């Protein structure tokens, strides 16, 4: 899953630079895929780390909701890939917002 996360982040950030031309780097400190139902039938997946833009570090975090389905155990690999993709998209949203 770590390799999958690295590839997705690299693709999402490809070509992204700050308005001043500084490169954008992300360091992921944690990624948590929840395993159970917590509230109203869903639980929270979480990702957090640091964006480094022009040498300035900014803490980041994002979360998405996950609602388990009875068939998730059959395609667990694909489900986890999709969940990581959603987390990456959420995190990149916040990075992109900070770049404008």
């Amino acid at each position: 899953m770590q390799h999958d996360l690295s590839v997705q982040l690299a693709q999402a950030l490809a070509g992204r630079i700050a308005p001043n031309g500084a490169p954008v780097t992300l360091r992921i400190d944690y990624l948590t895929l929840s395993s159970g139902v917590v509230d109203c039938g869903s639980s929270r997946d979480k990702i957090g780390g640091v964006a480094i833009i022009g040498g300035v570090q900014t803490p980041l975090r994002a979360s998405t909701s996950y609602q388990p389905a009875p068939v998730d155990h059959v395609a667990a690999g694909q489900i986890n890939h999709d969940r990581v993709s959603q987390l990456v998209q959420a995190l990149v949203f916040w990075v992109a917002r900070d770049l404008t």
Side-chain angles (χ1 to χ4, degrees):
M1 188 174 304
Q2 184 177 0
H3 173 35
D4 191 35
L5 174 64
S6 297
V7 169
Q8 289 184 42
L9 281 171
Q11 290 172 344
L13 291 174
R16 298 262 184 172
I17 57 171
N20 64 0
V24 176
T25 305
L26 291 184
R27 182 187 76 221
I28 302 303
D29 295 329
Y30 66 88
L31 182 140
T32 305
L33 297 179
S34 58
S35 60
V37 176
V38 176
D39 185 28
C40 298
S42 66
S43 56
R44 305 298 288 170
D45 293 337
K46 300 173 186 175
I47 191 170
V50 175
I52 305 165
I53 303 170
V56 177
Q57 295 187 18
T58 304
L60 292 176
R61 67 178 177 217
S63 65
T64 57
S65 62
Y66 167 65
Q67 188 164 3
V71 297
D72 284 358
H73 70 282
V74 175
Q78 183 61 46
I79 297 295
N80 287 342
H81 173 82
D82 294 346
R83 291 168 69 186
V84 169
S85 293
Q86 290 173 4
L87 283 168
V88 167
Q89 290 173 16
L91 193 66
V92 169
F93 169 82
W94 292 111
V95 172
R97 185 194 69 139
D98 287 346
L99 292 176
T100 57

